[in-house]
Amino acid sequence: TLDVRRMASLKKCVQLSRTTFKQYHMHHATPLISFSNTRNFCSASDDDDTSSSTQTKTSKPMLRTRDTDRQRRGDESNSNTSEESIIHRRSEEEYHKQQAILSELQELKQFIEAHGSAPVALIDRLRTEVLHYNADKTTAMHRCEAMRRIVWLCTKYLSDEQWYHFAINAEMEQLFTQFTATFTQDMAWLTVEEMSDILWVYATLGFRPYALVSKLVNKLDRVLKLHKETFFGYELDKDKSTAAQDDADA
């Protein structure tokens, strides 16, 4: 009798759960698709299936094989080879440039040693290098560098007596008068390097043209002030403190 009662209670529980599930499904389940929309539903489902299949095909990871490893190593070796070739080409260009500079300085040295006792020949060579400067025929970056090279080599390879006759020659004074006029006219286009070369050469030979030197120094001061304002803010702080002091005094 106890087993019969248990079986009856289990049947009631099963029936109650079925009815509860049906009621929940009727209230909360999504409505069924009508027969008129079955064709659209089927086509949409087919499109979804095809798109999902294409996605699975595209998103499928590529298997690693020997060919892929060889191709990857080949790409890496090609990139490394291209970088090495660029570096090698740049080093070759730098080497050839240095060799050209050395050969030109060697040629100037031989000319100075051969014409050390003839200051007029050295002055004519200096005039040609500066006033008739040609970037295609020399490794000097500008005419001021060409001028500095010759004077620097003369200080190294001329004797004291030869240097004395070279520096005090009357044609040298006339030549540097022309240089002064040329550099004063081109003052707006001179770089810091060019101005440094001019000041070094003039100081070495003992020339002090006031108009040229004053303009060079003023331009260098402006460049230095701009450099301080840009990178350090030194002059800006100084100007602010001076303005504040003037306001306080007023």
Side-chain angles (χ1 to χ4, degrees), residues 73-91:
R73 287 195 297 268
D75 295 338
E76 291 178 355
S77 63
N78 291 332
S79 61
N80 295 331
T81 305
S82 61
E83 292 178 358
E84 291 177 357
S85 63
I86 293 172
I87 295 172
H88 181 67
R89 186 170 65 253
R90 289 179 179 176
S91 61

PDB file of all heavy atoms in Angstrom, residues 73-91:
ATOM      1  N   ARG A  73      61.141  32.790 -42.877  1.00  0.00           N
ATOM      2  CA  ARG A  73      62.582  33.010 -42.768  1.00  0.00           C
ATOM      3  C   ARG A  73      63.123  33.788 -43.967  1.00  0.00           C
ATOM      4  O   ARG A  73      64.011  34.628 -43.844  1.00  0.00           O
ATOM      5  CB  ARG A  73      63.297  31.668 -42.631  1.00  0.00           C
ATOM      6  CG  ARG A  73      63.127  31.013 -41.268  1.00  0.00           C
ATOM      7  CD  ARG A  73      64.146  29.906 -41.081  1.00  0.00           C
ATOM      8  NE  ARG A  73      63.967  28.823 -42.048  1.00  0.00           N
ATOM      9  CZ  ARG A  73      63.219  27.741 -41.839  1.00  0.00           C
ATOM     10  NH1 ARG A  73      62.575  27.604 -40.690  1.00  0.00           N
ATOM     11  NH2 ARG A  73      63.121  26.802 -42.759  1.00  0.00           N
ATOM     12  N   GLY A  74      62.553  33.513 -45.145  1.00  0.00           N
ATOM     13  CA  GLY A  74      62.984  34.252 -46.324  1.00  0.00           C
ATOM     14  C   GLY A  74      62.627  35.722 -46.242  1.00  0.00           C
ATOM     15  O   GLY A  74      63.424  36.597 -46.605  1.00  0.00           O
ATOM     16  N   ASP A  75      61.406  36.042 -45.726  1.00  0.00           N
ATOM     17  CA  ASP A  75      61.018  37.444 -45.563  1.00  0.00           C
ATOM     18  C   ASP A  75      61.918  38.153 -44.565  1.00  0.00           C
ATOM     19  O   ASP A  75      62.340  39.299 -44.775  1.00  0.00           O
ATOM     20  CB  ASP A  75      59.554  37.534 -45.118  1.00  0.00           C
ATOM     21  CG  ASP A  75      58.605  37.000 -46.181  1.00  0.00           C
ATOM     22  OD1 ASP A  75      59.010  36.974 -47.365  1.00  0.00           O
ATOM     23  OD2 ASP A  75      57.483  36.597 -45.821  1.00  0.00           O
ATOM     24  N   GLU A  76      62.221  37.462 -43.448  1.00  0.00           N
ATOM     25  CA  GLU A  76      63.098  38.069 -42.445  1.00  0.00           C
ATOM     26  C   GLU A  76      64.501  38.293 -43.006  1.00  0.00           C
ATOM     27  O   GLU A  76      65.110  39.339 -42.786  1.00  0.00           O
ATOM     28  CB  GLU A  76      63.162  37.173 -41.206  1.00  0.00           C
ATOM     29  CG  GLU A  76      61.860  37.119 -40.429  1.00  0.00           C
ATOM     30  CD  GLU A  76      61.960  36.178 -39.243  1.00  0.00           C
ATOM     31  OE1 GLU A  76      63.016  35.518 -39.098  1.00  0.00           O
ATOM     32  OE2 GLU A  76      60.994  36.107 -38.459  1.00  0.00           O
ATOM     33  N   SER A  77      65.000  37.333 -43.744  1.00  0.00           N
ATOM     34  CA  SER A  77      66.339  37.498 -44.319  1.00  0.00           C
ATOM     35  C   SER A  77      66.367  38.611 -45.353  1.00  0.00           C
ATOM     36  O   SER A  77      67.340  39.367 -45.438  1.00  0.00           O
ATOM     37  CB  SER A  77      66.798  36.183 -44.951  1.00  0.00           C
ATOM     38  OG  SER A  77      65.944  35.826 -46.031  1.00  0.00           O
ATOM     39  N   ASN A  78      65.284  38.754 -46.132  1.00  0.00           N
ATOM     40  CA  ASN A  78      65.230  39.836 -47.120  1.00  0.00           C
ATOM     41  C   ASN A  78      65.206  41.201 -46.447  1.00  0.00           C
ATOM     42  O   ASN A  78      65.876  42.140 -46.887  1.00  0.00           O
ATOM     43  CB  ASN A  78      63.994  39.670 -48.018  1.00  0.00           C
ATOM     44  CG  ASN A  78      64.110  38.470 -48.935  1.00  0.00           C
ATOM     45  OD1 ASN A  78      65.210  38.062 -49.302  1.00  0.00           O
ATOM     46  ND2 ASN A  78      62.978  37.895 -49.299  1.00  0.00           N
ATOM     47  N   SER A  79      64.418  41.325 -45.349  1.00  0.00           N
ATOM     48  CA  SER A  79      64.374  42.605 -44.629  1.00  0.00           C
ATOM     49  C   SER A  79      65.725  42.928 -44.010  1.00  0.00           C
ATOM     50  O   SER A  79      66.197  44.064 -44.073  1.00  0.00           O
ATOM     51  CB  SER A  79      63.291  42.554 -43.549  1.00  0.00           C
ATOM     52  OG  SER A  79      63.584  41.532 -42.598  1.00  0.00           O
ATOM     53  N   ASN A  80      66.354  41.926 -43.413  1.00  0.00           N
ATOM     54  CA  ASN A  80      67.682  42.157 -42.826  1.00  0.00           C
ATOM     55  C   ASN A  80      68.695  42.522 -43.900  1.00  0.00           C
ATOM     56  O   ASN A  80      69.556  43.397 -43.698  1.00  0.00           O
ATOM     57  CB  ASN A  80      68.140  40.907 -42.073  1.00  0.00           C
ATOM     58  CG  ASN A  80      67.277  40.594 -40.867  1.00  0.00           C
ATOM     59  OD1 ASN A  80      66.699  41.511 -40.260  1.00  0.00           O
ATOM     60  ND2 ASN A  80      67.170  39.338 -40.503  1.00  0.00           N
ATOM     61  N   THR A  81      68.598  41.858 -45.056  1.00  0.00           N
ATOM     62  CA  THR A  81      69.520  42.158 -46.149  1.00  0.00           C
ATOM     63  C   THR A  81      69.331  43.576 -46.660  1.00  0.00           C
ATOM     64  O   THR A  81      70.303  44.283 -46.953  1.00  0.00           O
ATOM     65  CB  THR A  81      69.320  41.156 -47.290  1.00  0.00           C
ATOM     66  OG1 THR A  81      69.450  39.820 -46.779  1.00  0.00           O
ATOM     67  CG2 THR A  81      70.324  41.388 -48.396  1.00  0.00           C
ATOM     68  N   SER A  82      68.075  44.031 -46.756  1.00  0.00           N
ATOM     69  CA  SER A  82      67.822  45.389 -47.227  1.00  0.00           C
ATOM     70  C   SER A  82      68.366  46.420 -46.244  1.00  0.00           C
ATOM     71  O   SER A  82      68.983  47.417 -46.648  1.00  0.00           O
ATOM     72  CB  SER A  82      66.321  45.603 -47.434  1.00  0.00           C
ATOM     73  OG  SER A  82      65.617  45.422 -46.205  1.00  0.00           O
ATOM     74  N   GLU A  83      68.165  46.185 -44.932  1.00  0.00           N
ATOM     75  CA  GLU A  83      68.699  47.107 -43.938  1.00  0.00           C
ATOM     76  C   GLU A  83      70.227  47.125 -43.974  1.00  0.00           C
ATOM     77  O   GLU A  83      70.853  48.193 -43.905  1.00  0.00           O
ATOM     78  CB  GLU A  83      68.213  46.704 -42.545  1.00  0.00           C
ATOM     79  CG  GLU A  83      66.716  46.896 -42.338  1.00  0.00           C
ATOM     80  CD  GLU A  83      66.269  46.439 -40.964  1.00  0.00           C
ATOM     81  OE1 GLU A  83      67.139  45.942 -40.211  1.00  0.00           O
ATOM     82  OE2 GLU A  83      65.073  46.582 -40.652  1.00  0.00           O
ATOM     83  N   GLU A  84      70.822  45.939 -44.085  1.00  0.00           N
ATOM     84  CA  GLU A  84      72.285  45.879 -44.161  1.00  0.00           C
ATOM     85  C   GLU A  84      72.803  46.568 -45.422  1.00  0.00           C
ATOM     86  O   GLU A  84      73.847  47.241 -45.382  1.00  0.00           O
ATOM     87  CB  GLU A  84      72.738  44.424 -44.124  1.00  0.00           C
ATOM     88  CG  GLU A  84      72.512  43.735 -42.772  1.00  0.00           C
ATOM     89  CD  GLU A  84      72.908  42.271 -42.818  1.00  0.00           C
ATOM     90  OE1 GLU A  84      73.292  41.817 -43.923  1.00  0.00           O
ATOM     91  OE2 GLU A  84      72.822  41.601 -41.779  1.00  0.00           O
ATOM     92  N   SER A  85      72.083  46.437 -46.522  1.00  0.00           N
ATOM     93  CA  SER A  85      72.523  47.095 -47.752  1.00  0.00           C
ATOM     94  C   SER A  85      72.447  48.607 -47.632  1.00  0.00           C
ATOM     95  O   SER A  85      73.338  49.328 -48.115  1.00  0.00           O
ATOM     96  CB  SER A  85      71.664  46.625 -48.927  1.00  0.00           C
ATOM     97  OG  SER A  85      70.306  46.990 -48.740  1.00  0.00           O
ATOM     98  N   ILE A  86      71.399  49.105 -46.953  1.00  0.00           N
ATOM     99  CA  ILE A  86      71.279  50.557 -46.753  1.00  0.00           C
ATOM    100  C   ILE A  86      72.423  51.073 -45.888  1.00  0.00           C
ATOM    101  O   ILE A  86      73.060  52.094 -46.192  1.00  0.00           O
ATOM    102  CB  ILE A  86      69.915  50.893 -46.123  1.00  0.00           C
ATOM    103  CG1 ILE A  86      68.783  50.594 -47.119  1.00  0.00           C
ATOM    104  CG2 ILE A  86      69.869  52.349 -45.686  1.00  0.00           C
ATOM    105  CD1 ILE A  86      67.401  50.709 -46.519  1.00  0.00           C
ATOM    106  N   ILE A  87      72.697  50.346 -44.792  1.00  0.00           N
ATOM    107  CA  ILE A  87      73.795  50.757 -43.907  1.00  0.00           C
ATOM    108  C   ILE A  87      75.125  50.690 -44.641  1.00  0.00           C
ATOM    109  O   ILE A  87      75.972  51.594 -44.519  1.00  0.00           O
ATOM    110  CB  ILE A  87      73.808  49.868 -42.653  1.00  0.00           C
ATOM    111  CG1 ILE A  87      72.523  50.082 -41.827  1.00  0.00           C
ATOM    112  CG2 ILE A  87      75.042  50.141 -41.811  1.00  0.00           C
ATOM    113  CD1 ILE A  87      72.370  49.120 -40.675  1.00  0.00           C
ATOM    114  N   HIS A  88      75.312  49.630 -45.430  1.00  0.00           N
ATOM    115  CA  HIS A  88      76.561  49.480 -46.172  1.00  0.00           C
ATOM    116  C   HIS A  88      76.719  50.591 -47.214  1.00  0.00           C
ATOM    117  O   HIS A  88      77.816  51.141 -47.386  1.00  0.00           O
ATOM    118  CB  HIS A  88      76.571  48.125 -46.857  1.00  0.00           C
ATOM    119  CG  HIS A  88      77.831  47.850 -47.633  1.00  0.00           C
ATOM    120  ND1 HIS A  88      79.066  47.678 -47.026  1.00  0.00           N
ATOM    121  CD2 HIS A  88      78.049  47.734 -48.976  1.00  0.00           C
ATOM    122  CE1 HIS A  88      79.987  47.466 -47.956  1.00  0.00           C
ATOM    123  NE2 HIS A  88      79.388  47.502 -49.142  1.00  0.00           N
ATOM    124  N   ARG A  89      75.607  50.948 -47.880  1.00  0.00           N
ATOM    125  CA  ARG A  89      75.677  52.013 -48.875  1.00  0.00           C
ATOM    126  C   ARG A  89      75.995  53.355 -48.224  1.00  0.00           C
ATOM    127  O   ARG A  89      76.788  54.139 -48.750  1.00  0.00           O
ATOM    128  CB  ARG A  89      74.353  52.091 -49.637  1.00  0.00           C
ATOM    129  CG  ARG A  89      74.387  53.095 -50.795  1.00  0.00           C
ATOM    130  CD  ARG A  89      73.161  52.967 -51.667  1.00  0.00           C
ATOM    131  NE  ARG A  89      71.939  53.320 -50.973  1.00  0.00           N
ATOM    132  CZ  ARG A  89      71.021  52.443 -50.580  1.00  0.00           C
ATOM    133  NH1 ARG A  89      71.196  51.156 -50.827  1.00  0.00           N
ATOM    134  NH2 ARG A  89      69.940  52.833 -49.950  1.00  0.00           N
ATOM    135  N   ARG A  90      75.398  53.605 -47.067  1.00  0.00           N
ATOM    136  CA  ARG A  90      75.685  54.860 -46.365  1.00  0.00           C
ATOM    137  C   ARG A  90      77.134  54.913 -45.899  1.00  0.00           C
ATOM    138  O   ARG A  90      77.789  55.959 -46.005  1.00  0.00           O
ATOM    139  CB  ARG A  90      74.747  55.015 -45.172  1.00  0.00           C
ATOM    140  CG  ARG A  90      73.298  55.310 -45.549  1.00  0.00           C
ATOM    141  CD  ARG A  90      72.414  55.420 -44.326  1.00  0.00           C
ATOM    142  NE  ARG A  90      71.038  55.717 -44.689  1.00  0.00           N
ATOM    143  CZ  ARG A  90      70.041  55.780 -43.802  1.00  0.00           C
ATOM    144  NH1 ARG A  90      70.288  55.565 -42.520  1.00  0.00           N
ATOM    145  NH2 ARG A  90      68.820  56.049 -44.211  1.00  0.00           N
ATOM    146  N   SER A  91      77.644  53.807 -45.387  1.00  0.00           N
ATOM    147  CA  SER A  91      79.040  53.780 -44.947  1.00  0.00           C
ATOM    148  C   SER A  91      79.979  53.966 -46.134  1.00  0.00           C
ATOM    149  O   SER A  91      81.015  54.637 -46.017  1.00  0.00           O
ATOM    150  CB  SER A  91      79.337  52.457 -44.230  1.00  0.00           C
ATOM    151  OG  SER A  91      79.138  51.353 -45.106  1.00  0.00           O
TER     152      SER A  91
END
